[in-house]
Amino acid sequence: MQSEPTQPGLKPKSLGVSDIVFFVIAAAAPLGATLGAGPVVFAMGGTGAPGIYLIASLVLLLFAIGFAAMSRHVISAGGFAELVTHGLGRAAGNAAGGIALLAYIAMLTGIYGQFAAFGADLAMSIAGLQVDWRVVALLIIGLVGIFGYMDVKVSAKVLGVLMIFEILILLVFDVAVIAQTNAESFTWNGFMPSQIFTPGLGVALMFAFCCFVGFESTTIYGEEAKNPSRTVPLATYVAIAIIGIFYTLTTWCLGLAYANSDVQSVAGADMINFVFNANTQYVGPLSTEIMKILVVTSVFAVLLSFHNALSRYLFALARNHFVPRQLSRVHPKHASPHVASVVLSITTLVAVGLFMVTNADPIQHLYLWMVGLGTLAVLALQTLGAAAVVGFTLKTQKCSRWQGIIAPTLGGCGLATAVFLAVANFDELTGAKEGIATLLPWLVVIAALAGVINGLRAKEKFPVTPVVS
């Protein structure tokens, strides 16, 4: 049985391809990911780091082919939960809904810790102010909540500006390295199989996949997109292409910058300054100082992107009674899911507060634990999504064999491998070798089961959105 929404919907035709791409690339945090995950990929994968990023890009592109094709026919802010429902049935859709909530809340919570640590450090280095990370966390949760409450176009404009700055500063580095490297010193070793398939490939590939988290949120903005059957697929392709090319190019340039050194050892010895040192050498110290500031704004962009995406996810789930119906209310002026946004702000405040009162470290505990858990959950969600595309194609014949079966099957196999690697190397992903943090992967299973049980309990279980022909 399908119910008609009694509340006004999200603002239709308010987002174009560029707006959605801004949200997605902001969630991927090009600068933050390059500074954070890039050195780890080099430390684990060595010279083959650029090739490892290329592999991750190709796997996700294969998945995106089917994901984009199916999103032309299923347009909903319900994201993966809606897609999986159409492809694999309501029980699987309910499981995907549970995993999605865990994934995005964990990611959002963890990144608040990262911002709080970076923000406190920036206040000290620039103004000499010693600010407790807890104060920074409270302030940023409030600021993100305000943006989430307002018209989505406001967030899109802010994200666009921040994204342009962080990409520009890394492109300046890339150009500087290429310009200052002699022709005979150019090397393509980073893409050679002998350099890629090394003992550290598993962990390195896992961290490379981490850098792409967030691209799947394109479908969440379908109800607000201009011509969604075209805008969402195109935004998906554009986002993955930009992110993949950007990471591969910048990682290759980092390899060139350290061509005369043992790049694996250098990265492992000083991961924090690995990129900063190369940038100082090739561009200059002023650029590095600017880069340190932009790291903070980059993380803010991630928070804003995830908050907006998750607010819409809660909004869509509320319409289907998966979460309390009140979360489906839309602001009369801003056309934003304002109730969902407020509830999300309170939820993240409580989650971050638990780490605050236990005197946890914002990076070692809050950030690494929660982002590690969120990454694993997102990879599991994407794997379900790949299977859903195949199921949808077999049932409806709406997608071609290449788009609906072959490409998502190949991409799904790659994603399933990434899930296995994430579970097997979870201690490396989170930095937790013992204790309760090692049990966090079980929360993905629990979230899936809770989603199924909640779907059975709900008055109406994920009504199927009409398929657009």
Side-chain angles (χ1 to χ4, degrees), residues 78-86 88-104 313 317 320 322-323 376-385 387-388 442-458 461-462:
F80 269 115
E82 198 72 52
L83 295 178
V84 173
T85 297
H86 279 282
L88 301 178
R90 285 176 174 150
N94 290 333
I99 294 174
L101 287 178
L102 172 68
Y104 294 122
Y313 217 96
L317 296 180
N320 300 325
F322 191 82
V323 295
L376 172 59
V378 168
L379 288 171
L381 194 62
Q382 291 172 347
T383 305
L384 271 176
W442 285 104
L443 288 180
V444 179
V445 178
I446 293 172
L449 293 175
V452 173
I453 294 171
N454 186 54
L456 294 173
R457 176 208 58 79
K461 301 172 289 184
F462 278 124

Side-chain angles (χ1 to χ4, degrees), residues 172-398:
V172 168
F173 167 75
D174 294 340
V175 172
V177 171
I178 293 173
Q180 297 177 49
T181 300
N182 296 325
E184 61 272 13
S185 298
F186 276 101
T187 175
W188 302 99
N189 286 340
F191 300 99
M192 296 296 117
S194 60
Q195 300 298 320
I196 295 173
F197 295 96
T198 61
L201 173 62
V203 178
L205 188 60
M206 179 182 61
F207 276 91
F209 272 110
C210 290
C211 298
F212 289 84
V213 168
F215 86 86
E216 71 287 341
S217 65
T218 52
T219 184
I220 292 175
Y221 297 100
E223 294 181 34
E224 297 164 279
K226 302 172 183 175
N227 189 9
S229 62
R230 175 185 176 276
T231 299
V232 172
L234 182 57
T236 303
Y237 285 130
V238 171
I240 292 181
I242 291 176
I243 295 170
I245 293 171
F246 183 81
Y247 284 143
T248 303
L249 172 64
T250 301
T251 308
W252 177 62
C253 288
L254 280 168
L256 291 178
Y258 286 101
N260 296 322
S261 308
D262 182 350
V263 66
Q264 188 167 16
S265 298
V266 173
D270 190 359
M271 292 187 184
I272 294 177
N273 293 304
F274 178 73
V275 178
F276 289 146
N277 290 341
N279 187 75
T280 300
Q281 178 183 347
Y282 282 87
V283 185
L286 177 60
S287 173
T288 300
E289 292 304 313
I290 295 173
M291 185 178 284
K292 290 180 179 179
I293 296 174
L294 290 177
V295 171
V296 178
T297 61
S298 172
V299 177
F300 172 72
V302 178
L303 290 171
L304 194 54
S305 180
F306 269 108
H307 182 94
N308 275 284
L310 187 49
S311 295
R312 280 150 184 78
Y313 217 96
L314 289 169
F315 163 82
L317 296 180
R319 289 188 306 193
N320 300 325
H321 297 284
F322 191 82
V323 295
R325 185 73 168 177
Q326 290 81 357
L327 273 67
S328 66
R329 293 175 59 189
V330 174
H331 194 281
K333 177 182 177 182
H334 303 306
S336 63
H338 64 300
V339 176
S341 178
V342 171
V343 169
L344 177 57
S345 294
I346 295 172
T347 301
T348 51
L349 177 61
V350 171
V352 173
L354 292 175
F355 284 87
M356 290 180 178
V357 299
T358 56
N359 293 318
D361 184 86
I363 295 294
Q364 296 299 321
H365 301 131
L366 178 52
Y367 172 68
L368 287 178
W369 290 10
M370 291 295 97
V371 170
L373 173 61
T375 298
L376 172 59
V378 168
L379 288 171
L381 194 62
Q382 291 172 347
T383 305
L384 271 176
V389 174
V390 176
F392 176 80
T393 301
L394 293 175
K395 287 193 297 184
T396 67
Q397 303 299 314
K398 293 282 185 179

